[in-house]
């Protein structure tokens, strides 16, 4: 490995960690402001009714769900809709961490929410808009400029 490759790898890892942390902060802030829509079906309904309110679409999947054909079809349709409506898309792995960030508890006896698709909606006030949203949007834009239409980030367990 050359020095240039080592520096590039190190910068990429730092960038991914920074974006991952920004996603987590964004989700917490959006949840506090009731600006999250969770679930594939719920997300599809919202995008059909009010696509202009959506600022970010997170598609979350772990390795064990990669073979779920129905989920992949849903993702393909959601991605197409997001592209048509200029909505930033981010593919995320680390479902356990995602559940923890959103306060989902496996100890609850209730039915767990479908975290495979999460929409962040634009609030009517700018009070919660954080650096997290700006950084994630910048990362999505940079990825599109590099012909990576659906950027990927991994949420790390802590």
């Amino acid at each position: 490995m050359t020095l240039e490759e080592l520096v590039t790898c190190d910068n990429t890892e730092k960038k991914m960690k920074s974006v991952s942390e920004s996603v987590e902060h964004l989700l917490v802030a959006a949840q506090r402001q009731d600006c999250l829509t969770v679930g594939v079906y719920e997300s599809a309904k919202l995008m059909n009714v009010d696509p202009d309110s959506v600022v970010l679409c997170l598609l979350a999947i772990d390795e064990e769900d990669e073979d779920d054909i129905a989920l992949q079809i849903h993702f393909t349709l959601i991605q197409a809709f997001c592209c048509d409506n200029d909505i930033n898309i981010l593919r995320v792995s680390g479902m356990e961490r995602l559940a923890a960030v959103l306060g989902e508890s496996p100890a609850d006896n209730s039915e767990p929410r479908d975290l495979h698709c999460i929409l962040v909606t634009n609030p009517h006030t700018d009070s919660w808009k954080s650096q997290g949203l700006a950084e994630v949007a910048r990362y999505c834009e940079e990825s599109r400029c590099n012909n990576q239409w659906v950027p990927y980030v991994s949420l790390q367990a802590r």
Side-chain angles (χ1 to χ4, degrees), residues 121-152:
T121 55
N122 201 5
H124 298 293
T125 66
D126 289 341
S127 61
W128 73 270
K129 283 192 178 179
S130 64
Q131 273 302 112
L133 180 58
E135 184 170 352
V136 171
R138 200 170 30 254
Y139 176 69
C140 290
E141 178 69 28
E142 289 171 5
S143 296
R144 281 192 301 273
C145 288
N146 292 324
N147 290 325
Q148 183 184 7
W149 295 102
V150 182
Y152 167 83

Side-chain angles (χ1 to χ4, degrees), residues 24 60-62 64-65 92-106 115 155-158:
E24 291 181 18
I61 194 165
D62 277 336
E64 61 267 10
D65 294 323
V92 178
S93 68
M95 295 290 286
E96 283 183 28
R97 178 64 187 153
L98 183 60
V101 166
L102 295 176
E104 299 287 313
S105 175
L115 300 178
L155 301 179
Q156 301 298 319
R158 295 183 185 168

Side-chain angles (χ1 to χ4, degrees), residues 83-119:
C83 287
D84 285 348
N85 288 280
D86 297 322
I87 299 169
N88 286 322
I89 311 165
L90 187 62
R91 194 96 177 224
V92 178
S93 68
M95 295 290 286
E96 283 183 28
R97 178 64 187 153
L98 183 60
V101 166
L102 295 176
E104 299 287 313
S105 175
D108 292 345
N109 288 336
S110 61
E111 181 81 17
R113 291 193 294 177
D114 172 17
L115 300 178
H116 288 106
C117 184
I118 299 173
L119 299 180

Side-chain angles (χ1 to χ4, degrees), residues 55-87:
V55 294
L56 178 67
C57 176
L58 293 177
L59 299 175
I61 194 165
D62 277 336
E63 222 173 85
E64 61 267 10
D65 294 323
E66 288 283 341
D67 293 333
D68 186 338
I69 301 301
L71 187 59
Q72 295 299 332
I73 291 170
H74 287 298
F75 279 7
T76 301
L77 294 171
I78 290 169
Q79 287 172 19
F81 190 88
C82 289
C83 287
D84 285 348
N85 288 280
D86 297 322
I87 299 169

Side-chain angles (χ1 to χ4, degrees), residues 23-79:
V23 168
E24 291 181 18
H25 292 300
L26 173 62
L27 289 174
V28 170
Q31 187 172 34
R32 269 195 226 119
Q33 294 295 319
D34 197 30
C35 293
L36 284 185
T37 300
V38 178
V40 172
Y41 178 71
E42 293 81 0
S43 297
K45 276 189 349 187
L46 174 66
M47 287 193 292
N48 191 40
V49 173
D50 189 12
D52 294 334
S53 70
V54 180
V55 294
L56 178 67
C57 176
L58 293 177
L59 299 175
I61 194 165
D62 277 336
E63 222 173 85
E64 61 267 10
D65 294 323
E66 288 283 341
D67 293 333
D68 186 338
I69 301 301
L71 187 59
Q72 295 299 332
I73 291 170
H74 287 298
F75 279 7
T76 301
L77 294 171
I78 290 169
Q79 287 172 19

